[in-house]
Amino acid sequence: MAYPKYDQLYPEVKAVLSRERFEHVVRTGEYAVHLAELNHYDIEKARIGGLIHDYAKERTADDFLAEIDKKHLDPDLKNWNSAIWHGVVGAEFAKDELGIEDEELLNSMRRHTTADVNMTMLDKIVFMADFLELGRNFADTDVARDVTEQSLDDGVAWQLEFSVTRLVRNHRAVYPKTIYAYNHWVGGK
């Protein structure tokens, strides 16, 4: 499938994001390259996946809700918020506005917010690069990086356990696909 080159996408992504968010996506792309090298995956595609993953992060709720209707996406999405929408719905903006037709790249956007039972190598790389890019600093960052560098699958499980635990502790709802992903990657179901 076709997708534009990194150098073409760079200014287009930069134009729609704040400086801080843009710096994050660039660092995510850089960390995605690192993970791609460790896992013998296409470096350029990983870099693009990192760059575009938050393309729609700063859109308004009205933009997302209109896109859900326009594209006839799962109506349950309306019960969530931009934490979910910027990935799942954001892929639709990337397809239309950036000219990305490659379903693997689009799915890596969709899944970076929710994870999935069936994640491709690119899905896992973008999911973990977003979590571990070098601007991130949370408790056990180094542990998470070490686990992920030893095994990308173990890194996915580590992040899912960390994230779901944090959501539950804060009495926050967990997106259904994330629960299925947790059960698959952590619970072995």
Side-chain angles (χ1 to χ4, degrees), residues 5 7 11-12 25 30 57 70 79 87 103 108 111 123 134 144-145 181:
K5 299 290 184 208
D7 291 343
E12 293 183 54
V25 300
E30 291 167 354
K57 181 79 173 185
K70 176 182 169 187
N79 295 318
E103 278 301 311
S108 74
R111 294 173 178 163
D123 294 339
L134 297 180
R145 287 188 183 119

Side-chain angles (χ1 to χ4, degrees), residues 1-186:
M1 277 287 199
Y3 54 89
K5 299 290 184 208
Y6 183 89
D7 291 343
Q8 178 186 344
L9 292 168
Y10 185 96
E12 293 183 54
V13 173
K14 185 177 185 179
V16 300
L17 295 177
S18 65
R19 182 180 58 80
E20 294 82 12
R21 180 61 47 189
F22 183 69
E23 289 171 359
H24 161 69
V25 300
V26 169
R27 287 191 308 267
T28 300
E30 291 167 354
Y31 206 82
V33 165
H34 171 67
L35 293 176
E37 289 170 341
L38 289 175
N39 291 281
H40 312 288
Y41 185 79
D42 182 326
I43 291 168
E44 184 66 9
K45 198 169 189 180
R47 187 174 178 210
I48 290 170
L51 178 71
I52 67 171
H53 82 281
D54 275 353
Y55 174 71
K57 181 79 173 185
E58 296 174 332
R59 302 278 177 129
T60 68
D62 288 342
D63 288 345
F64 288 117
L65 293 168
E67 192 72 3
I68 291 167
D69 288 339
K70 176 182 169 187
K71 295 292 179 89
H72 308 288
L73 301 177
D74 182 353
D76 180 59
L77 283 167
K78 291 182 177 184
N79 295 318
W80 296 89
N81 58 38
S82 65
I84 300 300
W85 295 334
H86 81 274
V88 177
V89 183
E92 300 301 320
F93 293 116
K95 182 190 297 186
D96 295 343
E97 297 168 8
L98 299 175
I100 296 173
E101 298 174 9
D102 186 284
E103 278 301 311
E104 187 180 24
L105 273 170
L106 294 171
N107 279 333
S108 74
M109 281 186 75
R110 292 178 183 113
R111 294 173 178 163
H112 93 272
T113 59
T114 64
D116 197 84
V117 171
N118 298 309
M119 293 175 78
T120 67
M121 178 68 72
L122 181 60
D123 294 339
K124 293 182 274 189
I125 287 171
V126 173
F127 183 68
M128 294 312 299
D130 177 36
F131 187 62
L132 299 174
E133 58 91 347
L134 297 180
R136 300 284 197 193
N137 187 16
F138 55 87
D140 294 329
T141 308
D142 292 337
V143 172
R145 287 188 183 119
D146 289 344
V147 168
T148 303
E149 289 187 6
Q150 294 301 312
S151 165
L152 193 55
D153 288 356
D154 289 349
V156 169
W158 197 99
Q159 183 187 163
L160 280 164
E161 186 168 1
F162 177 89
S163 298
V164 169
T165 299
R166 189 181 66 205
L167 288 168
V168 170
R169 280 189 188 141
N170 292 317
H171 307 285
R172 306 278 310 271
V174 181
Y175 191 66
K177 283 188 178 183
T178 304
I179 294 171
Y180 293 131
Y182 173 88
N183 287 342
H184 174 80
W185 293 98
V186 178

